Coordinates of all heavy atoms in Angstrom, one line a residue:
L222 N 13.5 -9.9 -40.4 CA 14.4 -10.5 -39.4 C 13.7 -11.3 -38.3 O 14.3 -12.1 -37.6 CB 15.3 -9.5 -38.7 CG 16.3 -8.8 -39.7 CD1 17.2 -7.9 -38.9 CD2 17.2 -9.8 -40.4
I223 N 12.4 -11.1 -38.2 CA 11.6 -11.9 -37.3 C 11.7 -13.4 -37.6 O 11.5 -14.3 -36.8 CB 10.2 -11.4 -37.2 CG1 9.5 -11.9 -35.9 CG2 9.4 -11.8 -38.4 CD1 10.1 -11.4 -34.6
E224 N 11.9 -13.7 -38.9 CA 12.0 -15.1 -39.3 C 13.2 -15.8 -38.7 O 13.3 -17.0 -38.7 CB 12.1 -15.1 -40.9 CG 10.9 -14.6 -41.6 CD 11.0 -14.6 -43.1 OE1 12.1 -14.6 -43.6 OE2 9.9 -14.6 -43.8
D225 N 14.2 -15.0 -38.2 CA 15.4 -15.6 -37.6 C 15.2 -15.9 -36.2 O 16.1 -16.5 -35.5 CB 16.6 -14.7 -37.8 CG 16.9 -14.5 -39.3 OD1 16.7 -15.4 -40.1 OD2 17.4 -13.3 -39.6
V226 N 14.1 -15.5 -35.6 CA 13.9 -15.7 -34.2 C 13.2 -17.0 -33.9 O 12.3 -17.4 -34.7 CB 13.0 -14.5 -33.6 CG1 12.7 -14.7 -32.1 CG2 13.8 -13.2 -33.8
A227 N 13.6 -17.7 -32.9 CA 12.9 -19.0 -32.6 C 11.5 -18.8 -32.3 O 11.1 -17.8 -31.6 CB 13.6 -19.6 -31.3
P228 N 10.6 -19.7 -32.8 CA 9.2 -19.6 -32.6 C 8.8 -19.5 -31.1 O 7.8 -18.8 -30.8 CB 8.6 -20.8 -33.2 CG 9.7 -21.8 -33.4 CD 10.9 -20.9 -33.6
E229 N 9.5 -20.2 -30.2 CA 9.2 -20.1 -28.8 C 9.3 -18.7 -28.3 O 8.6 -18.3 -27.4 CB 10.1 -21.1 -28.0 CG 9.9 -22.5 -28.3 CD 10.8 -23.0 -29.4 OE1 11.4 -22.2 -30.2 OE2 11.0 -24.3 -29.5
R230 N 10.3 -18.0 -28.8 CA 10.6 -16.6 -28.3 C 9.5 -15.7 -28.9 O 9.0 -14.8 -28.2 CB 11.9 -16.1 -28.8 CG 13.1 -16.9 -28.2 CD 13.2 -16.9 -26.7 NE 13.5 -15.5 -26.2 CZ 14.7 -15.0 -26.1 NH1 15.8 -15.6 -26.5 NH2 14.8 -13.8 -25.6
I231 N 9.1 -15.9 -30.1 CA 8.0 -15.1 -30.7 C 6.7 -15.3 -29.9 O 6.0 -14.4 -29.6 CB 7.8 -15.5 -32.2 CG1 9.0 -15.1 -33.0 CG2 6.5 -14.8 -32.7 CD1 9.0 -15.6 -34.4
W232 N 6.4 -16.6 -29.6 CA 5.2 -16.9 -28.8 C 5.2 -16.2 -27.5 O 4.2 -15.7 -27.0 CB 5.0 -18.4 -28.7 CG 4.0 -18.7 -27.6 CD1 4.2 -19.4 -26.4 CD2 2.6 -18.3 -27.5 NE1 3.1 -19.4 -25.7 CE2 2.1 -18.8 -26.3 CE3 1.8 -17.6 -28.4 CZ2 0.8 -18.6 -25.9 CZ3 0.4 -17.4 -28.0 CH2 0.0 -17.9 -26.8
A233 N 6.4 -16.3 -26.8 CA 6.5 -15.7 -25.4 C 6.2 -14.2 -25.5 O 5.4 -13.7 -24.6 CB 7.9 -16.0 -24.9
E234 N 6.7 -13.5 -26.5 CA 6.4 -12.1 -26.6 C 5.0 -11.8 -27.0 O 4.3 -10.9 -26.5 CB 7.4 -11.4 -27.5 CG 8.8 -11.4 -27.1 CD 9.1 -10.5 -25.9 OE1 8.3 -9.5 -25.7 OE2 10.0 -10.7 -25.2
L235 N 4.4 -12.6 -27.9 CA 3.1 -12.5 -28.4 C 2.1 -12.7 -27.2 O 1.1 -12.0 -27.0 CB 2.7 -13.4 -29.5 CG 1.3 -13.4 -30.0 CD1 1.0 -12.0 -30.6 CD2 1.1 -14.4 -31.1
D236 N 2.4 -13.7 -26.4 CA 1.5 -14.0 -25.2 C 1.5 -12.8 -24.3 O 0.5 -12.4 -23.7 CB 2.0 -15.3 -24.6 CG 1.1 -15.7 -23.5 OD1 -0.1 -15.8 -23.7 OD2 1.6 -16.1 -22.4
R237 N 2.7 -12.2 -24.1 CA 2.7 -11.0 -23.2 C 2.0 -9.8 -23.8 O 1.4 -9.0 -23.1 CB 4.2 -10.7 -22.9 CG 4.9 -11.7 -22.0 CD 6.3 -11.2 -21.6 NE 6.3 -10.0 -20.8 CZ 7.3 -9.4 -20.2 NH1 8.5 -10.0 -20.4 NH2 7.2 -8.3 -19.5
I238 N 2.0 -9.7 -25.1 CA 1.3 -8.6 -25.8 C -0.2 -8.9 -25.5 O -1.0 -7.9 -25.2 CB 1.6 -8.6 -27.3 CG1 3.0 -8.1 -27.5 CG2 0.6 -7.7 -28.0 CD1 3.5 -8.3 -28.9
L239 N -0.7 -10.1 -25.7 CA -2.1 -10.4 -25.5 C -2.6 -10.2 -24.1 O -3.7 -9.9 -23.9 CB -2.4 -11.8 -26.0 CG -2.2 -12.2 -27.4 CD1 -2.4 -13.7 -27.7 CD2 -3.1 -11.4 -28.3
H240 N -1.6 -10.3 -23.2 CA -2.0 -10.1 -21.8 C -1.3 -8.8 -21.2 O -1.0 -8.7 -20.0 CB -1.6 -11.3 -20.9 CG -2.3 -12.5 -21.3 ND1 -1.9 -13.4 -22.3 CD2 -3.5 -13.1 -20.9 CE1 -2.7 -14.4 -22.5 NE2 -3.7 -14.2 -21.6
A241 N -1.1 -7.8 -22.0 CA -0.3 -6.6 -21.6 C -1.0 -5.9 -20.5 O -0.4 -5.2 -19.7 CB -0.1 -5.7 -22.8
D242 N -2.4 -6.0 -20.5 CA -3.1 -5.2 -19.4 C -2.8 -5.7 -18.0 O -3.0 -5.0 -17.1 CB -4.6 -5.3 -19.7 CG -5.1 -6.8 -19.8 OD1 -4.4 -7.6 -20.4 OD2 -6.2 -7.1 -19.2
L243 N -2.3 -7.0 -17.9 CA -2.1 -7.5 -16.6 C -0.8 -7.0 -16.0 O -0.6 -7.1 -14.8 CB -2.0 -9.1 -16.7 CG -3.1 -9.8 -17.3 CD1 -2.9 -11.3 -17.3 CD2 -4.4 -9.4 -16.6
R244 N 0.1 -6.4 -16.8 CA 1.4 -5.9 -16.3 C 1.2 -4.7 -15.4 O 1.7 -4.7 -14.2 CB 2.3 -5.6 -17.5 CG 3.7 -5.1 -17.0 CD 4.5 -6.2 -16.4 NE 5.8 -5.8 -16.1 CZ 6.6 -6.5 -15.2 NH1 6.2 -7.6 -14.7 NH2 7.9 -6.0 -15.0
Y245 N 0.5 -3.7 -15.9 CA 0.3 -2.5 -15.1 C -1.1 -2.1 -14.9 O -1.4 -0.9 -14.4 CB 1.1 -1.3 -15.8 CG 2.5 -1.6 -16.0 CD1 3.0 -1.7 -17.3 CD2 3.4 -1.7 -15.0 CE1 4.4 -1.9 -17.6 CE2 4.8 -2.0 -15.2 CZ 5.2 -2.1 -16.5 OH 6.6 -2.3 -16.7
G246 N -2.0 -2.9 -15.3 CA -3.4 -2.6 -15.1 C -4.0 -1.7 -16.1 O -5.0 -1.0 -15.9
R247 N -3.3 -1.5 -17.3 CA -3.8 -0.6 -18.4 C -4.9 -1.3 -19.2 O -4.6 -2.3 -19.9 CB -2.7 -0.2 -19.3 CG -1.6 0.7 -18.6 CD -0.6 1.2 -19.7 NE -1.3 1.9 -20.7 CZ -1.5 1.5 -22.0 NH1 -1.2 0.2 -22.3 NH2 -2.1 2.3 -22.8
E248 N -6.1 -0.9 -19.1 CA -7.3 -1.5 -19.7 C -7.1 -1.5 -21.3 O -6.6 -0.5 -21.8 CB -8.6 -0.8 -19.4 CG -9.8 -1.6 -19.8 CD -11.1 -0.9 -19.3 OE1 -11.1 0.3 -19.1 OE2 -12.1 -1.7 -19.1
Y249 N -7.4 -2.6 -21.9 CA -7.4 -2.7 -23.4 C -5.9 -2.4 -23.9 O -5.8 -1.9 -25.0 CB -8.3 -1.6 -24.0 CG -9.7 -1.8 -23.6 CD1 -10.6 -0.7 -23.6 CD2 -10.3 -3.0 -23.2 CE1 -11.9 -0.8 -23.3 CE2 -11.6 -3.1 -22.8 CZ -12.4 -2.0 -22.8 OH -13.8 -2.1 -22.5
A250 N -4.9 -2.8 -23.2 CA -3.5 -2.5 -23.6 C -3.1 -3.3 -24.8 O -2.2 -2.8 -25.6 CB -2.6 -2.8 -22.4
A251 N -3.6 -4.5 -25.0 CA -3.1 -5.4 -26.0 C -3.2 -4.8 -27.4 O -2.4 -5.0 -28.3 CB -3.8 -6.7 -26.0

Side-chain angles (χ1 to χ4, degrees):
L222 293 184
I223 197 65
E224 295 177 338
D225 299 326
V226 178
E229 295 91 343
R230 301 296 298 275
I231 294 173
W232 162 246
E234 292 291 336
L235 178 60
D236 188 46
R237 288 187 64 175
I238 291 169
L239 294 175
H240 296 89
D242 57 316
L243 304 183
R244 182 66 176 167
Y245 305 115
R247 293 185 60 255
E248 191 175 27
Y249 303 153

